Amino acid sequence: MLPLKDRPGWRASGEISLLTRPAWEQTLDHLARSDEETCHLELSAVTFVDVAGVSALAMTAQGLPQGRRIVLEEPPATLRRVLDMFWPGLLSVEVMGR
């Protein structure tokens, strides 16, 4: 995970799975503790996100104070489908692209 230079947020690449989940959850924790109203997760280079990774994202988003949101940029299609299936109407997450 690398911080974005031009906006608040992080860039991820590769897979988000059992082996990389600690780094993913640490990034989500940083995001949740941020004072930024909108944080971006640039995911165009992510090839796979397991259900536990999507769950960690959803739990982080649900714990954000009202008015804060996470913008997912170019996430894998499966991430969007899992969010829609298990967390429909999660207003603190906006998906851009794909």
Side-chain angles (χ1 to χ4, degrees):
M1 301 285 177
L2 297 171
L4 296 171
K5 294 180 182 186
D6 60 341
R7 60 202 178 280
W10 301 84
R11 171 175 287 116
S13 62
E15 293 188 355
I16 298 171
S17 60
L18 182 62
L19 293 176
T20 59
R21 193 163 313 116
W24 175 246
E25 290 175 352
Q26 182 179 12
T27 299
L28 293 174
D29 184 57
H30 286 298
L31 186 149
R33 289 187 286 120
S34 165
D35 292 333
E36 299 290 340
E37 183 176 314
T38 302
C39 286
H40 299 259
L41 287 174
E42 205 288 307
L43 304 174
S44 63
V46 172
T47 56
F48 173 78
V49 181
D50 67 10
V51 173
V54 179
S55 179
L57 171 65
M59 296 299 120
T60 298
Q62 288 175 328
L64 292 176
Q66 188 166 350
R68 290 203 48 219
R69 67 189 175 119
I70 300 169
V71 175
L72 305 179
E73 300 175 9
E74 302 289 330
T78 53
L79 188 152
R80 181 181 230 161
R81 284 195 298 269
V82 172
L83 277 176
D84 289 343
M85 185 182 306
F86 293 104
W87 294 276
L90 187 57
L91 298 177
S92 54
V93 173
E94 178 183 341
V95 180
M96 296 175 52
R98 288 195 203 178

